[in-house]
Amino acid sequence: MNSVERWKREKHPLDVVDDVYEYAEEGLTFDEIEARAGDGEWERLKWAGMYAHGTHRGYFMMRTKVPGGRLTPEQAEVVGEVADEYATAPPEFGGETQNPVWGDAFLDITTRQDVQMHWIRIEDVPDIWSRYDEVGLTTIQGCGDSARNVLGCPAAGLTDHECFDAQPVVDAVSAFFTGNREYANLPRKFKLTITGCREDCAQSQINDLGLVPARKHRSDGWYYGFHARVGGGLSDGPRMASNLDVFVRPEDAVEFCRAVAQTFEELGNRDNRGVCRMRYLVQQMGPEAFEEAIRDRCDVSLETRGENLTTGYTGDHVGVHDQKQDGLQYVGFNVVAGRMGGAEFAEAARAAKRYGTDNSTVRLATDQNFLVTHVPEERVPDLLAEPFAADYQPNPGPFSRGAVGCTGSEFCNYGIIETKQRVRRWARGLDEHVDTPEDVDVVRMHMSGCSASCAQPQIADIGFRGETVKLDDDGSSTNDEGDTIVEGMDVGLGGSLGTDNAFVDWVETAVPADAVIPALEALLATYSEERTDGERFYEWCRRADNERLRDVMRSVDADVSGGVPADD
């Protein structure tokens, strides 16, 4: 039994929620918490939505779950206010100047439609939870080996792209798993996505379980429901999800998801944390046997597949868009790398109330952007003129529009390189200096600070995976061996989801960070010269031979291929 499984057996992970109140009331330090509960408590605290900061002992990252990414303006305002009040760095870590770009009191929108905050003290958590309870928010099971935030289409109920609004199903499934002790101790994290949208912006292909729209003909007509995909995921051993031969009625979706979780719970690997994810179980058993195991555990009869209604993939909702409700529009704001001030997010929520109808919402998207919905067309200019919107306008350049970045080494225990500032700087610099074809509105550039894939680099046009890179001695050695160790990354090209889905090829590895932009500029210039009509960057990368792509990258006056991973 690995150590995490041992810790979960010693105490049920959800019991840590009561412990948090005790630790806060007594004002315990991290050392005192560890002395009382053991080092396994840091793992169990994830079920409360809390990660201990690796390099800032005494502080937590806190993750707020937002099922389907949908917030009422009141909820969004509370989230922003909590970040502004509690996500503040102490003076010894820089205080208001802790980050040269964002300063202090910021929040991060994640690729799973969550909100993350940093510098949270345990003594403040009960107050945060109390404010969340008042508006129906939670951090419970935002992390840990259980069902995570359920993804959905951020434009659900707004567009003609959907077959039906699946948000009620998202909410029901989320409510079933949140706080449910029976399914809160799985072999690893369990990621779900549920959508009624034809364009699969909820990314069913890379989740453990994805429900996508379908319809089935019976004697009395057509019925809408879901097809199921299982076993998708990224990180090490990425895998696209497999289709099951089932048709799930919306009213049966909770029971179906429960049966999948039970299958994973009973049959999943609990020994090796490296291969405990559900995709490895699906791969090992095969989709047909996995489906049979689900049917054995499901308390409703599952029909066979009907007609698939998914037609493609839409990666973002940036811009001003008409809703299917007459006279209303939604605005997708571009948040480069997903980070913004808590006060700004609260102002966005107040603007949603000010300019939107009574049905207005603030919605988080998987590309780390957010939407304000149900705005009468004549009020959109006023919304865009609000001070909070100055840095998040809905008409960005293609690189800013497609930029995604994980937490990186600034706060994450696993991060090898800094990501947030770099993504913002690179995206805006490329927008300014690189001429892309007029019909190219987005180039997806995703940067993960390690191999864990939180920024989803494998599905990007351009994916980065953080490395420390060892160079030959250049006179500025950073260790006794005479090596120069610098931040760098593996560069992957040609990823996408949708009907032509594929993961990136890692074309060049261990590239020093200061050599990446020259190499990208050369690639993009060659792409602009060689592309066929309408050809996207990822399509051109696939058409070009990898050796050709490497030759273009290495043609620049930069040490693109001069490093090796520092741990080699």
Side-chain angles (χ1 to χ4, degrees):
M1 184 184 300
N2 65 59
S3 57
V4 174
E5 289 299 323
R6 187 180 73 251
W7 292 330
K8 292 189 292 182
R9 185 165 294 188
E10 289 170 354
K11 180 172 70 176
H12 192 286
L14 284 176
D15 289 343
V16 81
V17 175
D18 291 333
D19 295 333
V20 168
Y21 287 103
E22 182 179 310
Y23 300 152
E25 182 178 0
E26 297 182 28
L28 298 190
T29 66
F30 270 35
D31 289 340
E32 290 168 334
I33 292 172
E34 197 167 282
R36 177 178 298 188
D39 56 0
E41 196 76 339
W42 308 119
E43 184 69 27
R44 291 185 290 262
L45 279 162
K46 295 176 183 178
W47 274 255
M50 300 161 64
Y51 270 93
H53 277 176
T55 56
H56 310 117
R57 190 167 174 84
Y59 298 91
F60 290 95
M61 180 275 284
M62 174 173 278
R63 181 178 293 156
T64 304
K65 290 167 61 176
V66 186
R70 185 178 299 189
L71 294 164
T72 67
E74 291 76 18
Q75 289 174 324
E77 187 172 11
V78 168
V79 168
E81 290 174 344
V82 164
D84 191 48
E85 184 172 343
Y86 296 103
T88 55
E92 61 267 30
F93 289 109
E96 294 181 358
T97 62
Q98 56 139 333
N99 186 291
V101 176
W102 289 280
D104 202 14
F106 47 74
L107 56 80
D108 294 333
I109 302 169
T110 79
T111 55
R112 292 205 62 80
Q113 297 175 306
D114 297 301
V115 174
Q116 294 184 172
M117 302 174 192
H118 303 282
W119 301 113
I120 301 299
R121 303 180 305 167
I122 199 161
E123 54 263 43
D124 293 328
V125 173
D127 290 339
I128 294 172
W129 283 349
S130 177
R131 292 171 68 167
Y132 274 9
D133 286 343
E134 292 176 359
V135 293
L137 291 171
T138 188
T139 69
I140 304 305
Q141 291 164 259
C143 322
D145 297 341
S146 60
R148 297 292 186 87
N149 193 44
V150 182
L151 299 187
C153 174
L158 307 180
T159 79
D160 293 327
H161 297 157
E162 66 183 1
C163 306
F164 55 91
D165 184 354
Q167 184 67 32
V169 181
V170 170
D171 292 336
V173 171
S174 180
F176 173 80
F177 283 111
T178 302
N180 188 329
R181 295 176 69 87
E182 187 173 359
Y183 298 99
N185 180 4
L186 300 176
R188 281 296 296 271
K189 65 186 77 171
F190 181 43
K191 295 184 175 181
L192 304 92
T193 174
I194 302 170
T195 182
C197 178
R198 297 176 186 271
E199 299 187 348
D200 197 26
C201 46
Q203 303 179 327
S204 67
Q205 294 172 319
I206 56 169
N207 276 265
D208 295 303
L209 171 59
L211 297 183
V212 294
R215 64 178 186 171
K216 181 89 172 180
H217 192 267
R218 304 191 184 114
S219 59
D220 56 346
W222 288 96
Y223 286 80
Y224 284 97
F226 300 100
H227 283 166
R229 295 169 171 171
V230 296
L234 298 177
S235 194
D236 295 327
R239 184 180 188 276
M240 293 290 180
S242 300
N243 292 318
L244 300 184
D245 188 18
V246 298
F247 178 81
V248 182
R249 297 177 299 177
E251 60 268 30
D252 295 335
V254 171
E255 169 58 20
F256 177 77
C257 293
R258 184 210 62 78
V260 176
Q262 183 183 348
T263 303
F264 182 34
E265 180 180 45
E266 294 177 355
L267 303 182
N269 187 318
R270 289 184 181 266
D271 298 323
N272 184 346
R273 293 287 289 179
V275 293
C276 285
R277 290 292 303 271
M278 199 180 92
R279 64 179 179 272
Y280 293 106
L281 179 62
V282 174
Q283 183 71 35
Q284 177 188 7
M285 296 179 64
E288 296 81 7
F290 191 79
E291 177 189 321
E292 190 61 34
I294 295 170
R295 289 180 178 274
D296 288 345
R297 291 162 175 79
C298 193
D299 289 338
V300 296
S301 177
L302 296 172
E303 302 178 55
T304 56
R305 286 171 65 88
E307 178 186 344
N308 179 53
L309 298 177
T310 301
T311 58
Y313 171 69
T314 295
D316 70 51
H317 296 80
V318 173
V320 178
H321 302 270
D322 292 333
Q323 295 184 192
K324 61 184 179 182
Q325 296 85 5
D326 287 344
L328 297 182
Q329 295 182 321
Y330 72 86
V331 180
F333 291 93
N334 181 229
V335 186
V336 180
R339 178 167 289 179
M340 63 186 299
E344 291 177 307
F345 195 71
E347 281 302 316
R350 296 177 193 120
K353 287 190 287 187
R354 186 177 307 122
Y355 300 111
T357 69
D358 291 341
N359 295 318
S360 183
T361 57
V362 177
R363 306 192 186 186
L364 313 181
T366 57
D367 58 354
Q368 301 182 319
N369 297 314
F370 75 94
L371 287 59
V372 172
T373 76
H374 294 83
V375 182
E377 184 176 353
E378 65 275 11
R379 293 184 173 182
V380 168
D382 294 330
L383 172 65
L384 296 178
E386 284 287 309
F388 85 86
D391 203 35
Y392 310 109
Q393 287 294 307
N395 55 346
F399 298 97
S400 293
R401 181 168 183 161
V404 172
C406 74
T407 301
S409 60
E410 182 181 12
F411 296 112
C412 180
N413 297 352
Y414 304 106
I416 298 171
I417 65 171
E418 192 281 323
T419 54
K420 291 290 188 183
Q421 296 176 55
R422 181 174 278 126
V423 167
R424 176 183 166 106
R425 184 173 67 252
W426 284 10
R428 294 193 166 173
L430 288 168
D431 281 336
E432 184 176 351
H433 298 295
V434 173
D435 292 326
T436 54
E438 290 185 2
D439 60 338
V440 175
D441 58 353
V442 61
V443 178
R444 305 191 192 288
M445 187 173 67
H446 294 202
M447 185 181 296
S448 274
C450 69
S451 62
S453 300
C454 296
Q456 305 174 336
Q458 291 98 327
I459 62 167
D461 292 275
I462 306 165
F464 301 115
R465 188 170 57 188
E467 293 263 21
T468 48
V469 176
K470 181 169 65 176
L471 304 175
D472 293 334
D473 181 20
D474 64 355
S476 57
S477 176
T478 57
N479 65 17
D480 294 337
E481 287 73 36
D483 304 314
T484 298
I485 308 297
V486 299
E487 288 194 349
M489 56 202 70
D490 303 331
V491 180
L493 300 171
S496 74
L497 294 179
T499 55
D500 58 349
N501 59 306
F503 296 126
V504 296
D505 283 343
W506 294 105
V507 174
E508 192 71 86
T509 59
V511 181
D514 61 6
V516 172
I517 290 299
L520 290 186
E521 290 175 339
L523 281 172
L524 292 160
T526 306
Y527 158 66
S528 295
E529 294 171 1
E530 296 182 356
R531 73 188 292 257
T532 59
D533 288 345
E535 189 174 36
R536 296 282 300 275
F537 183 73
Y538 75 84
E539 294 171 322
W540 173 78
C541 288
R542 294 178 191 174
R543 182 166 60 86
D545 181 83
N546 280 356
E547 192 60 41
R548 161 80 167 139
L549 297 175
R550 275 189 286 271
D551 287 343
V552 173
M553 294 179 68
R554 295 175 181 181
S555 68
V556 301
D557 186 19
D559 196 13
V560 172
S561 59
V564 296
D567 57 357
D568 279 7

